[in-house]
Amino acid sequence: NLIFSKHNKEVSEIITGKRKKTSMSPKQKDEATTLTKKSMGAAYGSVPTHDDENHALDEDRIRTVQRKMAFLTGMAAIGGFLFGYDTGVISGAMLPLAKDFALSPVQEEMIVSSTVFAAFLASLVGGSLNNSCGRRFSILVASGVFTVGAIIMGFAWNYNSMLLGRIIVGIGIGLASLTTPVYIAEVAQPSLRGKLVTVNQLLVTFGQFIAGMVDGALGEVDHGESAL
């Protein structure tokens, strides 16, 4: 400690120019300051430098960004799940719908195909909506359209109301299927971009799988007929 104190006193005198009444150049002062820091580290252990603090802040910032990126990816990928679910669930619902609404074969075809056709048309205009309003706004619009279509289908009382709900849901599918992969690719890190975009495609097939499971769970065998 005595050696360390003596050394610091000498360095301090050199920096302030009191020792031998001489002045130092900026380079010599920097060298003396660096020597002092090294001496402090040797006497008391390593001392965190400004670079170490910046490195710690960068690591915290990276972890925060990764958490937000995972959350945004999960929320956006719900659009892929709804895509698969809404296109797959109708297969099990058509038997009770045809019976309850007394649908003709043409009306059944319209209910099934209207969603896919509406999704096709919505995807054509979805690019302009993305460019003008942004990806996040487009996803919010798709979510709102999904909700409205689901409510209409839930309270449908005849063929026309059911067809309207299916068309509205198809519009939501078209917007979500176009916007979600682009949004995920833009917010993802380059090293994770392909993996996270694949999550959206995986959820499309997972939604179709869940739709089949729901149809099977709600279907009951009654006198040789399937009822929902």
Side-chain angles (χ1 to χ4, degrees):
N1 287 339
L2 291 175
I3 296 174
F4 173 65
S5 301
K6 182 180 179 181
H7 172 75
N8 275 353
K9 184 177 179 181
E10 293 177 354
V11 173
S12 177
E13 290 177 354
I14 293 173
I15 294 176
T16 56
K18 293 180 180 179
R19 187 179 184 185
K20 296 182 180 180
K21 297 182 180 181
T22 58
S23 60
M24 298 180 64
S25 65
K27 182 177 180 181
Q28 291 175 328
K29 288 183 178 181
D30 291 339
E31 292 177 352
T33 303
T34 303
L35 181 61
T36 301
K37 290 181 178 179
K38 290 182 178 179
S39 299
M40 292 177 63
Y44 298 109
S46 60
V47 178
T49 63
H50 186 65
D51 293 337
D52 294 334
E53 294 177 356
N54 288 339
H55 182 68
L57 291 175
D58 290 340
E59 289 183 348
D60 292 339
R61 190 177 297 111
I62 290 173
R63 285 193 292 267
T64 302
V65 170
Q66 288 177 343
R67 287 194 297 267
K68 291 183 178 180
M69 183 179 62
F71 175 77
L72 291 174
T73 301
M75 293 298 101
I78 292 177
F81 174 81
L82 292 176
F83 186 165
Y85 184 85
D86 287 326
T87 54
V89 75
I90 192 63
S91 60
M94 279 310 303
L95 291 175
L97 285 177
K99 182 179 179 181
D100 294 341
F101 294 157
L103 300 177
S104 66
V106 175
Q107 290 175 331
E108 293 181 16
E109 294 170 359
M110 289 294 296
I111 288 179
V112 173
S113 60
S114 60
T115 298
V116 180
F117 185 68
F120 166 72
L121 295 179
S123 64
L124 295 179
V125 300
S128 300
L129 181 65
N130 275 265
N131 290 331
S132 60
C133 301
R135 319 289 189 243
R136 183 176 300 179
F137 179 79
S138 299
I139 291 178
L140 292 175
V141 170
S143 301
V145 172
F146 269 123
T147 303
V148 172
I151 292 174
I152 293 176
M153 288 191 296
F155 291 96
W157 59 93
N158 56 15
Y159 162 73
N160 291 329
S161 59
M162 177 59 67
L163 182 64
L164 177 62
R166 292 285 294 171
I167 292 174
I168 293 176
V169 166
I171 295 174
I173 290 175
L175 292 176
S177 62
L178 176 70
T179 307
T180 301
V182 178
Y183 180 74
I184 293 176
E186 288 179 346
V187 301
Q189 292 180 340
S191 59
L192 299 176
R193 186 169 297 153
K195 184 182 298 183
L196 295 180
V197 172
T198 305
V199 171
N200 178 69
Q201 303 301 323
L202 177 63
L203 286 180
V204 172
T205 58
F206 183 69
Q208 293 173 340
F209 171 76
I210 294 298
M213 294 298 100
V214 170
D215 288 339
L218 296 180
E220 295 180 357
V221 178
D222 185 15
H223 301 296
E225 294 184 357
S226 177
L228 193 60

